[in-house]
Amino acid sequence: MTVPVRHSEPDGPTIQLGVVRIRSIGEEPAGDPLVMEQGGPGGSTIGFFPNQIRKLVEILNQRDIVLVEQRGTQYSIPWLDCSAERNAHNIAVAKGEAEDDGSYLNACKADWDAQGIDLSAFNDTENAADIYAAVAALGYDQFNYYGLSYGTELGQHVMKAAADHPDVLRSVILDSVVPIDIQDQPLKDRIASQALRTMFENCAQDATCSQDFPDLEQKTLALLEQMNVTPVVVTATLPSGEKLPMPVTGSDLFQLMWSNLYSRQTIRQLPGILDTMIQKGDFSWVAKQKTEGLALTPGGMAEGMHLSMWCPRLGNEPFLGTDLFAPAYPQANIVELALPDYARRCQIMDVANAEAADFVYPDADIPTLLLSGAMDPATPPQYGEHVAGELKTAYAYTLPDAAHNVMLDSPTNCALNMAVAFLADPSETPDSSCVTDLKPVFARRVTPLDEMTFEPRTVITGVTASVPTSFADPQGTGLYSDPADPINIPTGLVRFAVVAADTVDAALANLTDSTVIAEDQAIGNYRWKIVESSAMMKGVIARGAATAMPDGEHYLTVMLGAPENSADAIFATLLEPILSS
């Protein structure tokens, strides 16, 4: 869709925005769609929500969903991306070859200027006008709006623009709420500390978590202090494959903990991850995080759009908000690093400050549902309550088991069901009874290799083998791992399969670029070919074994996977007991 750079100048320069309409699957859908917008600012709406489509079925039973790519993000023209330059700079900083001064942005800014891009037009007001333009272009008379994170700030500007479009905006859902009048960045240490305290408190109140990880808060703070005195050195892997030793302080670890509180799934694992560091001195998770941090790929945050939206606001919001939060942990240093970094990059962007009207709340009376997660490290419940107090018809709820992205990342459908009911009739107070019984769920302690025991199981039809007692196959597909941490697989995983193949090499063909470990080794009652490959997944070593089945037409394959830094120990523990059984 082509829209004016400035909607007040309809005959002036234009930009293009990707628009996706997902048709309702209902027999009699409502005529007013739900427009859904991503956060960041700078995240791709079209790149995010289609991946959540299974969770949106109940909404699609009611109405269409419309995704409008925000100006400057990935599926718009221009795309204000600077990820390649930033990634190269981050690697140079990590290797000690450059200062962390934001200078990479100069090249991107020069390119945008050379294209004649008016960065000051990439703002909340024009972004909101794009939404109305898309709705009109698609032929809808009314629409509902859902915003996530920065999308909630945009949503408040969509509500402000409703005065120019009477009876067009029917209802609004704000998920993980950003207030338009609070100086957010200086509060990051307090907000992050509150989220971590809430997680620690939830763990202490959970019978399993408190038993597996007693006194976790005190032990974690002691670890942070120890690391601030004596940093831990981990080895990160650069995209080139080069290994890079990186010192990690307690403040560095605090930042990693904070950034991982965005995901409810990671929160579930975090007590066990911290316990592994505290009890075992195993910082492989930190090494993985550092490696991923140096592997930024295009398609993530559009930095030019992010800064064009953020820089005019930073430090100009009228409300400080410090009285909303308790003091931060002394180990927190997000603000110390973030504010100077933003200041340097905003100076390069050179975008004018926002006007006072940008910080004024909407006057339109639009029914609004506000959702907050109790463990949200960026948009805490106080923000939702604060914004609700500024709106005329607002229903604000905090879900105790949620973090960021409440509706789509919560472990239950409570928030989603509330949203569906609200969209059906925004004039009715949503039924929030499902919130009452919600409790966070934490993963159990991962059984370490030196405590592992094995037991025989029918792993797939017709095949019995010994597997670690602590492993489970929740989907019944022959894929076993410790359910306490199936993402990081700190003690590995094993997959059993029977494949039709003419040769043992064909049976192991999916392990590409492999090295032969054993050509015809007798283990237990069978003879195995064993190969190893690092090409299956970044940071993971796969070791596969195959043996002929009695029918002469099939092979049993046993595939083990392990993090590369602990693969030898995992294979030494798992391979022989499994194959010999």
Side-chain angles (χ1 to χ4, degrees):
M1 182 181 72
T2 299
V3 296
V5 171
R6 294 187 180 276
H7 286 265
S8 60
E9 303 172 8
D11 297 325
T14 61
I15 59 175
Q16 291 180 292
L17 311 175
V19 180
V20 170
R21 169 161 52 190
I22 308 173
R23 292 287 192 178
S24 172
I25 56 177
E27 293 184 2
E28 296 182 6
D32 44 276
L34 179 64
V35 176
M36 304 188 75
E37 294 299 317
Q38 166 66 313
S44 171
T45 292
I46 292 175
F48 177 74
F49 286 108
N51 295 322
Q52 313 294 318
I53 197 70
R54 291 182 180 178
K55 300 177 183 178
L56 298 173
V57 168
E58 290 304 315
I59 292 174
L60 286 169
N61 278 330
Q62 287 184 337
R63 53 186 27 89
D64 294 349
I65 290 176
V66 173
L67 311 176
V68 181
E69 188 75 348
Q70 296 166 35
R71 50 176 57 201
T73 57
Q74 185 176 6
Y75 298 103
S76 69
I77 302 173
W79 175 22
L80 303 180
D81 180 43
C82 198
S83 56
E85 292 81 359
R86 183 183 182 99
N87 193 36
H89 180 77
N90 287 346
I91 291 173
V93 170
K95 296 172 71 173
E97 298 171 355
E99 295 293 326
D100 191 8
D101 56 6
S103 58
Y104 67 90
L105 189 60
N106 285 306
C108 297
K109 176 62 161 55
D111 181 48
W112 300 328
D113 288 344
Q115 296 179 56
I117 297 172
D118 180 4
L119 293 174
S120 66
F122 290 78
N123 59 50
D124 294 318
T125 301
E126 302 297 343
N127 213 7
D130 293 340
I131 303 298
Y132 284 93
V135 169
L138 291 171
Y140 296 110
D141 295 324
Q142 270 193 325
F143 74 98
N144 308 276
Y145 179 91
Y146 167 92
L148 168 62
S149 197
Y150 163 74
T152 66
E153 179 182 312
L154 173 57
Q156 292 163 70
H157 287 272
V158 170
M159 294 173 73
K160 291 167 75 169
D164 299 325
H165 305 272
D167 300 320
V168 175
L169 181 60
R170 175 175 176 265
S171 70
V172 172
I173 301 174
L174 303 180
D175 183 339
S176 307
V177 185
V178 177
I180 61 176
D181 64 339
I182 292 181
Q183 291 190 20
D184 175 67
Q185 288 298 323
L187 298 174
K188 288 298 185 187
D189 288 345
R190 291 173 180 246
I191 295 170
S193 297
Q194 172 178 287
L196 279 168
R197 284 193 187 103
T198 304
M199 186 207 72
F200 287 134
E201 290 169 2
N202 288 335
C203 178
Q205 293 168 9
D206 179 87
T208 300
C209 192
S210 60
Q211 177 182 351
D212 284 352
F213 317 114
D215 303 318
L216 185 61
E217 180 179 24
Q218 292 77 12
K219 291 176 181 177
T220 300
L221 295 178
L223 175 65
L224 297 177
E225 284 299 314
Q226 176 185 331
M227 292 174 63
N228 276 334
V229 174
T230 307
V232 171
V233 178
V234 302
T235 300
T237 304
L238 300 181
S240 64
E242 178 184 353
K243 304 296 184 182
L244 182 68
M246 299 184 72
V248 180
T249 66
S251 296
D252 295 333
L253 178 55
F254 184 92
Q255 291 226 9
L256 291 177
M257 292 159 56
W258 165 67
S259 63
N260 276 275
L261 287 175
Y262 278 81
S263 164
R264 184 264 311 175
Q265 181 61 37
T266 310
I267 291 174
R268 181 177 179 273
Q269 309 292 341
L270 197 53
I273 291 169
L274 293 172
D275 182 72
T276 298
M277 298 182 209
I278 294 166
Q279 302 296 338
K280 300 286 186 179
D282 180 351
F283 291 87
S284 55
W285 177 82
V286 176
K288 181 181 177 184
Q289 294 289 310
K290 289 294 185 181
T291 294
E292 292 174 354
L294 294 170
L296 182 67
T297 55
M301 190 73 66
E303 187 164 3
M305 186 273 200
H306 177 85
L307 295 172
S308 295
M309 295 284 178
W310 245 206
C311 291
R313 308 178 58 82
L314 287 174
N316 297 310
E317 301 95 335
F319 183 40
L320 295 179
T322 50
D323 59 338
L324 296 176
F325 305 98
Y329 286 124
Q331 295 85 358
N333 69 335
I334 300 167
V335 174
E336 178 185 339
L337 298 176
L339 283 182
D341 178 56
Y342 268 114
R344 289 189 293 266
R345 291 185 290 154
C346 288
Q347 185 175 13
I348 294 170
M349 291 294 289
D350 191 26
V351 195
N353 286 342
E355 299 179 358
D358 289 329
F359 307 118
V360 176
Y361 281 92
D363 188 54
D365 189 2
I366 308 293
T368 305
L369 173 65
L370 301 96
L371 301 171
S372 299
M375 293 179 285
D376 192 324
T379 53
Q382 292 95 320
Y383 280 0
E385 294 162 5
H386 175 80
V387 173
E390 300 289 343
L391 303 178
K392 291 187 175 179
T393 303
Y395 312 101
Y397 301 96
T398 296
L399 278 71
D401 62 339
H404 206 62
N405 185 7
V406 178
M407 190 176 85
L408 298 178
D409 192 45
S410 293
T412 73
N413 287 330
C414 178
L416 181 60
N417 291 339
M418 290 171 62
V420 169
F422 173 73
L423 289 169
D425 187 356
S427 66
E428 290 289 325
T429 301
D431 179 2
S432 61
S433 58
C434 62
V435 175
T436 306
D437 296 327
L438 295 180
K439 293 181 180 180
V441 176
F442 296 97
R444 297 215 56 157
R445 171 177 174 265
V446 173
T447 301
L449 295 175
D450 58 5
E451 296 178 16
M452 199 169 278
T453 58
F454 291 78
E455 64 181 12
R457 299 186 204 173
T458 300
V459 291
I460 52 176
T461 302
V463 177
T464 300
S466 289
V467 294
T469 308
S470 55
F471 279 23
D473 174 19
Q475 304 301 321
T477 59
L479 177 62
Y480 290 79
S481 65
D482 193 323
D485 192 353
I487 296 176
N488 295 296
I489 53 168
T491 54
L493 61 80
V494 57
R495 177 188 287 276
F496 299 89
V498 173
V499 298
D502 295 329
T503 66
V504 68
D505 290 332
L508 294 169
N510 63 330
L511 283 180
T512 58
D513 298 327
S514 60
T515 301
V516 176
I517 303 298
E519 189 67 51
D520 186 29
Q521 183 175 356
I523 303 178
N525 295 325
Y526 300 92
R527 304 195 71 85
W528 301 84
K529 179 166 185 176
I530 304 172
V531 300
E532 185 171 294
S533 172
S534 60
M536 297 293 290
M537 184 184 299
K538 189 175 182 64
V540 173
I541 305 296
R543 185 170 289 190
T547 189
M549 299 286 283
D551 64 6
E553 297 179 356
H554 294 83
Y555 285 82
L556 171 64
T557 61
V558 180
M559 301 289 183
L560 277 68
E564 61 182 350
N565 63 332
S566 54
D568 289 344
I570 290 173
F571 295 153
T573 302
L574 300 185
L575 192 64
E576 196 279 334
I578 292 174
L579 298 188
S580 65
S581 65

